[in-house]
């Protein structure tokens, strides 16, 4: 089975800190995604990437950046963490965009608290 | 932008009953997917239905898609306590290269 690993299950940071959330997938998937999940709002797409060194903005990219230097790793960066970025962050990957391979595989999530 | 909207927001049923959740969306899609999330965990893919398909089955799951109404339904038959979870629909829009999720339906199956 595909494994998507997020580096931390729980993370507590202070306002203004730079925060790195790491995600690694082990099945050579082309596509990787970062979502945040908040109660009542469902999952909202922050950034996604369809290839190494490629990134596209999702619906809520403000305050975030991403890095994909290697195919298996997709990092989410909070340049200066703020309290409104307290949330569950979910990373996902998919094999490709076509041919029945579009289904997403999710990591277990990182619950980030910004104090 | 939120593409999919699930209905109802919450559903509580007795074990053995059927559970039906609905999803509506706004734009043209390539496919629609349903996912399950157990409390505080990542999402697990359940089923994918393409825009040219009308119905799909997987075990106790049945998904329908009506592109004219821009809606889908997920039916779980003979529900079990282990089906207690949140269920999300996700759409792969034709206009954009991204997968958008709805807010989800919280299902409680009472033993």
């Amino acid at each position: 089975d595909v494994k998507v690993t997020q580096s931390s299950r729980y993370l507590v940071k202070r306002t203004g800190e730079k925060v790195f959330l790491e995600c690694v997938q082990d099945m050579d998937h082309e596509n990787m995604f970062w979502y945040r999940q908040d109660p009542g709002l469902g999952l909202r797409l922050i950034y996604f990437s369809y290839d190494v060194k490629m990134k596209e903005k999702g619906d809520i990219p403000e305050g975030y950046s991403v890095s994909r230097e290697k195919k298996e790793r997709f990092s989410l960066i909070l340049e200066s963490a703020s309290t409104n970025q307290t949330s569950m962050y979910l990373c996902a990957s998919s094999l490709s965009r076509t041919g029945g391979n579009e289904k997403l595989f999710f990591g277990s999530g990182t619950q980030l608290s910004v104090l | 932008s939120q593409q999919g909207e699930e209905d109802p927001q919450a559903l509580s049923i007795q074990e053995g009953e059927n559970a039906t959740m609905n999803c509506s969306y706004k734009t043209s899609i390539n496919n629609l997917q349903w996912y399950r999330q157990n409390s505080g965990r990542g999402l697990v893919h359940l089923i994918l239905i393409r825009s040219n398909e009308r119905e799909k089955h997987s075990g106790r799951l049945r998904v329908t898609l009506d592109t004219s109404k821009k809606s889908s339904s997920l039916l779980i038959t003979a529900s079990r306590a282990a089906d207690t979870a949140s269920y999300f629909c996700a759409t792969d829009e034709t206009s954009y290269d991204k997968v958008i999720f709805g807010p989800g339906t919280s299902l409680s199956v009472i033993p």
Side-chain angles (χ1 to χ4, degrees):
Chain A
D1 265 356
V2 174
K3 191 166 184 182
V4 179
T5 303
Q6 294 185 230
S7 52
S8 304
R9 183 78 181 93
Y10 299 97
L11 208 53
V12 180
K13 295 292 180 180
R14 298 213 173 270
T15 302
E17 279 193 75
K18 190 169 186 175
V19 182
F20 292 86
L21 302 182
E22 305 286 346
C23 177
V24 178
Q25 48 92 4
D26 66 356
M27 284 299 291
D28 202 34
H29 281 184
E30 292 180 3
N31 314 317
M32 297 189 75
F33 305 81
W34 275 107
Y35 293 87
R36 65 176 281 178
Q37 183 176 24
D38 301 286
L41 297 178
L43 279 74
R44 292 180 291 168
L45 182 63
I46 305 171
Y47 268 97
F48 59 104
S49 169
Y50 287 135
D51 202 353
V52 176
K53 296 190 185 295
M54 176 269 182
K55 60 184 178 184
E56 291 286 346
K57 292 180 180 179
D59 295 320
I60 52 164
E62 297 78 20
Y64 304 94
S65 62
V66 289
S67 172
R68 194 168 181 198
E69 295 296 318
K70 294 184 178 180
K71 192 174 186 179
E72 68 270 19
R73 186 180 296 269
F74 193 36
S75 303
L76 180 69
I77 303 154
L78 287 66
E79 295 290 341
S80 178
S82 63
T83 55
N84 62 12
Q85 292 178 310
T86 291
S87 185
M88 170 69 86
Y89 289 87
L90 292 164
C91 174
S93 71
S94 66
L95 180 60
S96 72
R97 283 182 279 177
T98 59
N101 297 311
E102 302 93 325
K103 73 177 186 180
L104 301 181
F105 294 84
F106 280 84
S108 296
T110 295
Q111 180 62 54
L112 172 67
S113 297
V114 182
L115 306 178
Chain B
S1 61
Q2 193 137 289
Q3 167 76 316
E5 294 279 344
E6 291 91 344
D7 168 54
Q9 289 187 339
L11 182 61
S12 184
I13 60 173
Q14 296 288 329
E15 202 166 30
E17 293 181 339
N18 295 342
T20 300
M21 288 158 270
N22 303 298
C23 170
S24 60
Y25 58 91
K26 297 172 185 171
T27 64
S28 296
I29 59 172
N30 296 315
N31 63 66
L32 185 145
Q33 305 177 52
W34 285 91
Y35 289 81
R36 184 188 73 217
Q37 183 182 36
N38 290 92
S39 180
R41 309 302 294 182
L43 280 73
V44 175
H45 181 266
L46 295 176
I47 198 164
L48 180 153
I49 186 165
R50 301 200 174 284
S51 60
N52 61 353
E53 296 176 310
R54 292 297 165 258
E55 188 170 312
K56 207 160 183 181
H57 296 256
S58 177
R60 294 184 296 112
L61 305 180
R62 174 175 158 248
V63 169
T64 62
L65 179 64
D66 186 335
T67 53
S68 67
K69 294 181 180 179
K70 292 186 169 56
S71 67
S72 173
S73 67
L74 169 68
L75 169 67
I76 304 174
T77 60
S79 64
R80 306 167 181 166
D83 294 328
T84 294
S86 292
Y87 292 83
F88 296 86
C89 71
T91 52
D92 184 355
E93 304 174 7
T94 53
S95 303
Y96 304 96
D97 289 330
K98 54 188 181 181
V99 179
I100 302 296
F101 285 78
T105 292
S106 177
L107 173 66
S108 295
V109 181
I110 303 165

